[in-house]
């Protein structure tokens, strides 16, 4: 895979944050944190594929009280950008302790790493991985008796308004591209949350899901139009890689979508999943 840029992670973060509001309210995260912490001095959280720390910035204030986070990613550029991304955010030194680790999560799981954490979390990761990877992760979490929170996994739904010719065809190619191997075996794409929920339930977890869709409105100013542009160009590039013979259709679609950007709304379906042991 080509990797994720620091700029792209920063661009998506405000949309991620807004999308996660409803799910966070449903999950009672302070209650979850209190239960998981028990009599320990702090809650231990393992963030898989942390990027530049967006999941930490979103979750830590919602969980509350003392926390110790281990942030794991394989990309040295993203880990190097973490301190700068976190600097404006870390206002209360001591409340959240942070350790970063460079690890390739496509390699066999480090069981001792999981065993040290009460909450295993990841954001915007699940749709990149395979069924086997999710099965292994779920078993590892179960063995560690940890709760699991997967945020912002795409669910395959995309809704453009106004609709334009080529939407369905480009979406079909884009979805096929999503299922390509992203380094973890054939990716589940929009089927990942369903698979994770079934596997975690079969291991005795109580699973709750909540919608966390991106809502992007072209009338929302420069940040929104830039995001729409990125979505159009990203979808077109993936579709072209998937089906080069559809070049003309994809080129026409891109031009029409870019022309309509200022009166376009886009909903990209995502789900958050929380799994806890009774
Ligand atoms: C879409 S980004 C999400 C980043 C972050 N969680 C967020 O919400 O902004 C996917 C992340 O998966 C990481 N990743 C991809 N393959 C990986 C692997 N084999 N091992 C560890 N991290 C990986 C990327 O480096 C990137 O940080």
């Amino acid at each position: 895979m080509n990797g994720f840029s620091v700029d792209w992670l920063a661009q998506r973060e405000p949309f991620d944050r807004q999308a996660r509001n409803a799910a966070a309210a449903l999950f009672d995260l302070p209650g979850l944190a209190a239960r998981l912490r028990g009599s320990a001095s702090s809650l231990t959280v393992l963030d898989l594929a942390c990027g530049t720390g967006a999941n930490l910035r979103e979750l830590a204030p919602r969980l509350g009280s003392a926390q110790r986070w281990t942030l794991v990613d394989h990309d040295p550029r993203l880990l190097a950008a973490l301190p700068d991304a976190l600097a404006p955010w870390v206002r209360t030194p001591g409340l959240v302790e942070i350790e970063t680790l460079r690890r390739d999560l496509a390699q066999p799981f480090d069981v001792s790493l999981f065993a040290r954490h009460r909450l295993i979390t990841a954001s915007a990761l699940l749709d990149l991985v395979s069924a086997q990877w999710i099965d292994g992760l779920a078993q590892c979490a179960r063995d560690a008796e940890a709760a699991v929170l997967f945020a912002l996994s795409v669910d395959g739904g995309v809704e453009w308004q106004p609709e334009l010719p080529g939407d369905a065809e480009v979406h079909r190619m884009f979805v096929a591209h999503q299922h390509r191997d992203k380094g973890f075996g054939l990716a589940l794409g929009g089927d990942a949350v369903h698979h994770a929920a079934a596997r975690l339930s079969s291991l005795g977890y109580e699973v709750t899901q909540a919608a966390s869709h991106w809502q992007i409105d072209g009338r929302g100013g420069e940040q929104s139009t830039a995001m729409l542009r990125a979505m159009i160009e990203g979808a077109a590039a993936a579709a072209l890689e998937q089906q080069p013979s559809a070049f003309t259709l994809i080129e026409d679609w891109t031009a029409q979508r870019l022309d309509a950007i200022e009166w376009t709304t886009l909903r990209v379906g995502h789900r958050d999943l929380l799994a806890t042991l009774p």
Side-chain angles (χ1 to χ4, degrees):
M1 67 187 292
N2 299 325
F4 296 85
S5 73
V6 173
D7 288 347
W8 166 242
L9 296 184
Q11 185 173 17
R12 60 173 288 165
E13 189 166 348
F15 298 91
D16 287 346
R17 206 176 304 124
Q18 207 170 36
R20 293 181 70 172
N21 276 335
L26 189 74
F27 290 161
D28 179 22
L29 295 171
L32 172 73
R35 265 185 291 125
L36 293 176
R37 189 180 295 111
S39 57
S41 56
S42 57
L43 170 65
T44 45
V45 186
L46 177 61
D47 185 20
L48 304 173
C50 62
T52 53
N55 198 25
L56 163 71
R57 285 188 289 281
E58 165 66 22
L59 269 186
R62 295 192 186 272
L63 292 166
S65 295
Q67 299 161 40
R68 266 190 294 136
W69 280 67
T70 308
L71 272 63
V72 182
D73 206 285
H74 72 151
D75 188 332
R77 292 165 314 128
L78 300 181
L79 292 174
L82 249 167
D84 278 352
L86 289 177
W89 176 83
V90 183
R91 284 186 221 98
T92 324
L95 205 57
V96 181
E97 289 174 46
I98 299 164
E99 181 191 0
T100 55
L101 290 178
R102 185 175 169 201
R103 291 274 193 286
D104 180 357
L105 291 166
Q107 296 303 313
F109 293 116
D110 173 353
V111 175
S112 65
L113 177 64
F114 281 74
R116 295 203 302 273
H117 296 87
R118 302 290 294 123
L119 175 62
I120 315 285
T121 184
S123 63
L125 171 69
L126 218 52
D127 36 88
L128 303 177
V129 304
S130 61
Q132 293 84 341
W133 191 91
I134 289 179
D135 295 349
L137 184 278
Q139 188 60 55
C140 236
R142 182 68 188 84
D143 292 345
E145 296 184 12
V148 178
L149 174 52
F150 292 129
L152 292 165
S153 313
V154 296
D155 69 6
V158 165
E159 202 179 300
W160 294 98
Q161 288 296 340
E163 292 175 16
L164 289 176
D167 284 347
E169 290 87 341
V170 171
H171 182 60
R172 188 180 41 72
M173 295 173 226
F174 179 72
V175 166
H177 192 275
Q178 261 181 340
H179 284 278
R180 286 182 170 200
D181 187 341
K182 308 290 193 303
F184 297 90
L186 284 183
L188 282 176
D191 304 325
V193 180
H194 179 73
H195 184 87
R199 173 54 62 151
L200 287 160
S201 295
S202 76
L203 292 172
Y205 279 91
E206 285 173 2
V207 176
T208 315
Q209 293 186 46
S212 52
H213 305 318
W214 281 351
Q215 304 279 3
I216 315 168
D217 187 338
R219 287 153 298 198
E222 177 50 30
Q223 193 177 55
S224 301
T225 47
M227 187 64 170
L228 282 172
R229 199 172 305 116
M231 297 306 294
I232 294 164
E233 288 167 356
L240 192 58
E241 210 173 295
Q242 186 63 26
Q243 199 171 316
S245 61
F247 175 81
T248 307
L249 182 149
I250 296 165
E251 195 181 47
D252 289 349
W253 177 83
T254 306
Q256 288 184 64
R257 275 272 153 239
L258 289 173
D259 277 350
I261 220 165
E262 280 169 12
W263 58 93
T264 289
T265 60
L266 171 64
R267 196 192 73 147
V268 184
H270 288 84
R271 296 196 78 73
D272 286 12
L273 176 158
L274 173 65
T276 53
L277 287 165

